[in-house]
Amino acid sequence: MSLPHVWINTLKDHVGAEVEVRGWRNHLRSSGKLHFLEVRDGTGVVQSVFFKGGLSPEIFERAGGVPQEASVAVRGTVSQNPKQPGVFELQAKEIDVIGVPVGEYPISPKEHGVEFLMDNRHLWLRSSRQNAILKVRATIVRAVRDFFDGRDFTLVDAPIFTPNACEGTSTLFSTDYHGDKAYLTQSGQLYMEAAAAAVGKAYCFGPTFRAEKSKTRRHLAEFWMVEPEVAFMDLEGDMKLAEDFLSFIVARVLESRKEEMKILERDTTKLEKVVGPFPRITYHEAIEILQQNGHPEAKVGDDFGGDEETVISNKFDRPVIVHRYPMDLKAFYFKRDPNDPSLALNMDVLAPEGYGEIIGGGQREDDLAKLEAAIDVHKLPREAFGWYLDLRRYGSFPHAGFGLGIERTVAWTCGLHHVRETIPFARMLNRLSP
Ligand code: 4AD
Ligand code: MG
């Protein structure tokens, strides 16, 4: 019997019709006269019901013996589950086993350790939670594009191989490039500054690399970053852009990933609060918050680690923008605050619920001599930045931008403890496989 193949999430459109569903065996439960065989195809899960009385003994027996994760095609009639509105079933007539598992499937319903699951990431991705995370991530990626495309930004791709350190020299992956040394990009920002002079409002979106030596729940060696850069925008405009952007992303997830949020048991009332204006505090005010909340030793000049960011962000029910850090803590390219040149015109956005920094950015130094001096202070090779300095030589312009890390954003919106689950195949200090 040949029947149209339909995806499980469209079964509601086929009630009463005979169809074929293809997927993998999830759960199988049998009583004497019935087998309830769950099929999963990535778009959903459907229970197919095999009733002994209505089937040949051969088909009934085959259905009862399908091993976990075998791939199957089940043909039958779509029906509405009488007890659960909106849930559909398949009254099965036939089943083919397409791919028979070789040996036992490594992941069983029992609790596995995280390392085991990460070693089996290629299989773990099939679980309902990981499926939900993949979908939320895809929705966020699309929201990112819709936000900037809808505001007349031009997507400009930044290179992956680069001669420049953008975010300090301690986290560079270097590689041989036809006899020269190249780095895997830490950020597309410097190239977006060039692009801003070409298209006005630019953004890049791609993988970036950091040889992070620390093992934390927020750090990956390879992560995806979206980086807008806007000509003639100042720090104030940058903060507003970041606020609008985050509100847009969260609203999109809430609107189009309700089912996934349920699977992830995410408390969405927390996300509903993510609307502008976001609180804005200075770095100095952030230090005071730390001093008053269990970090009496905190002092001006300290950088914030994960713990400090958690304490600060826990004071607010929506993302908080911390601006004007000491210049000494920040990358070479920031413009100094004219009112206090020891401070950078920068900002970090810290997500609530202890998720910490998800956005970093600010206004760029647009004065040639000052930028040259900063490159020297940071002991960066001036030769490698010749092209970047040209942007200050030929029609220098005030500009600002930021970078948002996709994985930290997914971790926060999904309510996940660790970024390793937010990217399909995580690259970390001790992990390059699968
Ligand atoms: O604060 P960062 O280092 O800023 C930049 O790279 C700027 N050049 C961006 C710009 O202004 N165009 O990184 C920006 C964001 C962080 O807030 C965080 O969300 C993410 O990138 N990020 C990481 N995510 C996962 N693993 C890591 N190791 C990350 N490092 C940064
Ligand atoms: Mg940062």
Side-chain angles (χ1 to χ4, degrees):
M1 175 164 59
S2 155
L3 290 171
H5 167 215
V6 300
W7 292 96
I8 291 170
N9 64 346
T10 69
L11 286 176
K12 60 180 185 310
D13 304 326
H14 299 277
V15 175
E18 294 206 321
V19 300
E20 178 175 279
V21 163
R22 298 177 193 158
W24 293 263
R25 199 217 91 182
N26 250 16
H27 209 65
L28 174 63
R29 187 163 58 86
S30 296
S31 70
K33 283 192 215 123
L34 291 161
H35 299 308
F36 299 98
L37 186 151
E38 261 182 16
V39 182
R40 181 195 82 243
D41 73 356
T43 72
V45 177
V46 66
Q47 173 164 275
S48 49
V49 184
F50 292 81
F51 175 52
K52 193 173 186 177
L55 300 169
S56 74
E58 189 201 338
I59 288 176
F60 188 73
E61 198 180 315
R62 188 186 302 156
V66 176
Q68 187 192 354
E69 289 305 312
S71 55
V72 294
V74 178
R75 290 174 288 279
T77 307
V78 182
S79 66
Q80 154 78 59
N81 181 311
K83 292 192 196 117
Q84 293 165 280
V87 174
F88 301 91
E89 293 182 340
L90 207 55
Q91 303 306 320
K93 299 203 169 67
E94 289 183 353
I95 181 166
D96 300 330
V97 179
I98 300 166
V100 183
V102 180
E104 202 177 320
Y105 189 63
I107 301 178
S108 56
K110 73 163 194 256
E111 286 278 313
H112 294 287
V114 171
E115 283 308 304
F116 176 87
L117 290 170
M118 287 302 287
D119 286 342
N120 287 282
R121 183 66 175 160
H122 50 295
L123 303 175
W124 189 24
L125 286 179
R126 302 179 186 191
S127 76
S128 60
R129 276 181 63 85
Q130 299 307 316
N131 175 289
I133 296 166
L134 289 177
K135 292 193 171 165
V136 173
R137 181 184 170 104
T139 293
I140 289 174
V141 168
R142 180 147 172 197
V144 163
R145 291 204 183 287
D146 287 347
F147 180 85
F148 289 115
D149 295 346
R151 279 164 184 72
D152 210 21
F153 281 64
T154 302
L155 175 71
V156 180
D157 300 312
I160 304 281
F161 286 126
T162 158
N164 303 105
C166 181
E167 294 299 324
T169 49
S170 64
T171 61
L172 287 170
F173 278 111
S174 59
T175 178
D176 173 70
Y177 193 75
H178 303 302
D180 280 336
K181 191 170 185 167
Y183 305 114
L184 297 184
T185 186
Q186 296 170 307
S187 158
Q189 177 197 321
L190 308 185
Y191 297 96
M192 289 309 100
E193 293 183 49
V199 299
K201 294 183 277 183
Y203 77 103
C204 63
F205 191 8
T208 49
F209 306 86
R210 305 271 170 103
E212 303 280 3
K213 292 292 181 314
S214 52
K215 271 203 238 173
T216 82
R217 66 193 190 94
R218 295 171 184 165
H219 288 93
L220 294 164
E222 179 179 318
F223 64 98
W224 284 64
M225 184 156 48
V226 54
E227 298 181 84
E229 192 72 31
V230 181
F232 307 107
M233 186 170 76
D234 60 8
L235 178 61
E236 199 52 35
D238 205 28
M239 293 198 272
K240 181 78 172 78
L241 184 66
E243 184 176 289
D244 291 349
F245 179 47
L246 275 186
S247 311
F248 182 91
I249 290 180
V250 170
R252 177 69 69 83
V253 170
L254 286 173
E255 164 195 309
S256 53
R257 289 296 171 198
K258 291 194 176 72
E259 197 52 43
E260 285 73 15
M261 292 286 115
K262 262 189 229 148
I263 291 169
L264 295 165
E265 297 172 84
R266 180 66 167 110
D267 177 358
T268 49
T269 59
K270 299 239 165 74
L271 295 176
E272 279 156 17
K273 301 207 173 91
V274 182
V275 284
F278 296 165
R280 295 179 189 187
I281 60 172
T282 64
Y283 166 87
H284 283 74
E285 288 166 336
I287 292 287
E288 281 165 26
I289 290 179
L290 286 173
Q291 288 167 342
Q292 290 154 13
N293 293 275
H295 287 266
E297 75 294 348
K299 57 181 188 315
V300 170
D302 291 354
D303 207 352
F304 303 144
D307 288 349
E308 289 79 15
E309 285 173 9
T310 299
V311 172
I312 299 163
S313 64
N314 273 341
K315 287 273 141 200
F316 303 92
D317 67 352
R318 63 196 73 197
V320 54
I321 306 182
V322 185
H323 57 91
R324 293 181 169 80
Y325 286 54
M327 201 60 195
D328 294 344
L329 297 176
K330 287 288 148 187
F332 73 97
Y333 51 70
F334 284 113
K335 192 175 177 65
R336 288 175 186 271
D337 184 350
N339 297 319
D340 179 351
S342 73
L343 303 178
L345 287 179
N346 82 302
M347 57 122 191
D348 277 356
V349 184
L350 311 185
E353 302 174 73
Y355 280 93
E357 182 200 331
I358 49 171
I359 285 182
Q363 196 172 333
R364 321 307 185 185
E365 183 54 76
D366 46 30
D367 179 271
L368 177 62
K370 286 183 184 158
L371 188 56
E372 282 174 332
I375 287 174
D376 293 346
V377 166
H378 285 258
K379 298 196 172 60
L380 295 166
R382 244 201 234 187
E383 329 70 84
F385 290 89
W387 69 267
Y388 183 63
L389 291 165
D390 270 355
L391 306 175
R392 279 71 183 170
R393 286 194 184 99
Y394 305 112
S396 193
F397 57 109
H399 58 289
F402 61 77
L404 166 116
I406 292 297
E407 289 71 21
R408 290 189 192 176
T409 307
V410 174
W412 165 46
T413 48
C414 291
L416 306 174
H417 175 70
H418 199 296
V419 288
R420 67 189 156 218
E421 285 183 56
T422 64
I423 186 163
F425 296 97
R427 297 291 171 255
M428 296 182 289
L429 186 57
N430 55 354
R431 180 168 295 284
L432 180 62
S433 175

